[in-house]
Amino acid sequence: MTVTLRSLETAVPPTILVQPEARDVFAAQPGLTRLGQRLVRTCFDSAAIDTRHTAVAEMSTSFRSETPVFFDVDTGLLLTPSTKERNDLFTVEATALFIEAATRALDACDGVSAADVTHVVTVSCTGFFNPGPDYKIVRALGMPASVQRYHLGFMGCYAAFPALRAAKAFCEADPDAVVLVVSAELCSLHVRTSNNPDTIMGSSLFADGAAAAVVTARDLPDTQPGMLLDHFETVLTPVGEDSMAWNIGDQGFEMVLDSYVPRIIDDHIVGALEPLLAHEPALAGQPYRDIRHWAIHPGGRSILDKVEAKLGLSEDQLVPARETLRNYGNMSSATVMFVLKHILDQPAAEPSESICAMAFGPGLTVETGLFTKVSPGSGRTMEGAAAHSAVLDNAARV
């Protein structure tokens, strides 16, 4: 059975943060030490980010409020809303993003409507409410009341992979299933001023965005590129449990992002890839750079630098990840979906092309996925999948 991601669409809130402007706001906050000010400028300037999107409209210099909660544009002060105030905004703004991304994904999927959806899987680690985003999507899009709903909460930046893996399992169990996977993260709700290096790092990187995908094994019209969901694997590194974490505080969620994380990834990325590539001996026997596409979660510039150097990848193979980071920042679980969309939107050089994807999160957890990008009419049927396997076998013999 061939399970295929048939459409992948993204959505971002309208307010844009320009990195140098955001840097100057954070560097000007009272209470920062001289070291803190230097860290702010260093982190923001070295992040390889130009713009980010935020659901906090107050962060726009053109927004005025008589009772600001997050940012007072007249004084330039970052305020300290409570966790409840942050979560209240999440309930409103995340719902809108979930619905927007879901609508776009369904509209882009020929042969599928909201009435066809059998499962909804939602993902987020930046807020909570119930009835949750899975419920809101079903109601807003007029889906059948019998739709099975699942929410993956508080997993972190790698959570898109468990969601896609669950979608694949649902489709393998029921060949007629149509699974809508939607991730939405409002990381900017939790940024704050601080002299803490982890907090400063998070403030320089994190942003808001959403992505949605339609996954099914149904025989549908082949009108746009898609992606076969071939294999998934999970690896826990033997170190790093305290190096990446996401905790709930009285004034929002608190990110722990130790500067040691890129070193951990550098030490363990090869081992994390071994069980994934073992599924495809033809790929396992090749240099990593011979796998055409790499969808790496851009947790930060230094992480991408480590991955590129350790695996011997070309600069071009990291363009989707680096461009996503530059234009959108780190949107937690939604980010790798933006990278995959970048790859799907590229002109195809071959009818089918391998994609190796990976994301990192608390634990330290490494989630990996092996996919096949297929052009219209080339690889969405059982025959097409078999032909793809034959190509891999021939490559292994060569």
Side-chain angles (χ1 to χ4, degrees):
M1 178 185 298
T2 304
V3 179
T4 307
L5 185 151
R6 290 283 186 163
S7 68
L8 175 57
E9 297 295 326
T10 61
V12 291
T15 300
I16 298 175
L17 297 178
V18 178
Q19 189 76 344
E21 295 175 0
R23 173 204 63 204
D24 292 345
V25 168
F26 277 83
Q29 297 305 302
L32 280 182
T33 63
R34 293 180 65 182
L35 175 59
Q37 291 175 337
R38 288 200 299 270
L39 285 174
V40 167
R41 297 191 179 280
T42 298
C43 288
F44 276 75
D45 290 344
S46 64
I49 294 172
D50 291 341
T51 56
R52 294 178 281 166
H53 291 255
T54 176
V56 184
E58 290 180 12
M59 295 300 293
S60 169
T61 56
S62 61
F63 187 91
R64 290 293 186 276
S65 172
E66 294 182 1
T67 56
V69 177
F70 287 80
F71 177 64
D72 187 339
V73 68
D74 293 324
T75 64
L77 292 178
L78 289 165
L79 307 178
T80 55
S82 67
T83 301
K84 181 184 185 307
E85 288 172 313
R86 298 175 197 261
N87 198 70
D88 285 347
L89 187 59
F90 176 88
T91 301
V92 175
E93 299 296 338
T95 295
L97 269 187
F98 271 110
I99 293 171
E100 181 180 354
T103 301
R104 290 183 178 183
L106 285 172
D107 287 347
C109 188
D110 289 341
V112 168
S113 69
D116 296 307
V117 175
T118 59
H119 302 69
V120 172
V121 182
T122 54
V123 181
S124 190
C125 69
T126 47
F128 301 93
F129 60 93
N130 200 5
D134 50 306
Y135 171 92
K136 298 290 188 180
I137 289 170
V138 169
R139 288 302 195 197
L141 275 63
M143 294 177 182
S146 59
V147 169
Q148 297 183 33
R149 310 188 330 263
Y150 303 85
H151 181 71
L152 301 182
F154 222 65
M155 297 185 77
C157 295
Y158 62 81
F161 287 91
L164 291 174
R165 184 168 57 233
K168 183 174 189 281
F170 293 145
C171 293
E172 290 172 338
D174 176 6
D176 199 45
V178 175
V179 185
L180 177 64
V181 175
V182 193
S183 169
E185 303 284 12
L186 304 189
C187 306
S188 72
L189 294 181
H190 304 290
V191 300
R192 73 202 70 201
T193 181
S194 174
N195 287 297
N196 181 284
D198 287 346
T199 304
I200 293 172
M201 180 67 73
S203 298
S204 71
L205 289 173
F206 283 101
D208 304 346
V214 176
V215 177
T216 186
R218 287 188 183 183
D219 186 14
L220 297 175
D222 290 351
T223 56
Q224 67 257 0
M227 191 171 72
L228 307 183
L229 304 186
D230 298 324
H231 309 288
F232 293 93
E233 290 290 342
T234 301
V235 171
L236 297 178
T237 62
V239 295
E241 181 176 349
D242 298 325
S243 297
M244 189 182 295
W246 192 225
N247 303 312
I248 298 177
D250 292 336
Q251 296 176 349
F253 299 171
E254 300 168 351
M255 165 57 67
V256 176
L257 189 61
D258 196 290
S259 60
Y260 187 54
V261 168
R263 172 66 181 276
I264 297 172
I265 292 172
D266 185 56
D267 289 344
H268 298 285
I269 187 174
V270 170
L273 285 171
E274 286 178 356
L276 179 73
L277 296 180
H279 291 287
E280 299 282 2
L283 296 181
Q286 298 178 4
Y288 295 114
R289 69 186 301 150
D290 287 353
I291 299 174
R292 182 179 294 274
H293 299 291
W294 287 81
I296 308 299
H297 167 66
R301 192 205 67 189
S302 58
I303 289 176
L304 295 180
D305 290 346
K306 288 290 187 182
V307 171
E308 181 178 336
K310 186 71 172 184
L311 301 183
L313 303 179
S314 68
E315 291 183 6
D316 287 346
Q317 288 171 303
L318 267 292
V319 165
R322 294 193 189 277
E323 286 296 306
T324 297
L325 182 65
R326 178 173 294 106
N327 296 326
Y328 299 101
N330 183 341
M331 300 165 286
S332 191
S333 66
T335 320
V336 74
M337 302 284 272
F338 277 67
V339 180
L340 286 168
K341 179 170 173 56
H342 189 291
I343 293 172
L344 285 176
D345 288 346
Q346 291 177 352
E350 302 289 342
S352 62
E353 302 171 349
S354 294
I355 303 172
C356 191
M358 111 177 9
F360 321 95
L364 198 152
T365 302
V366 183
E367 286 279 352
T368 56
L370 194 60
F371 312 127
T372 304
K373 176 183 175 180
V374 287
S375 299
S378 65
R380 295 183 184 178
T381 63
M382 292 297 291
E383 291 80 9
H388 173 66
S389 296
V391 170
L392 292 179
D393 290 341
N394 289 335
R397 285 194 291 272
V398 171

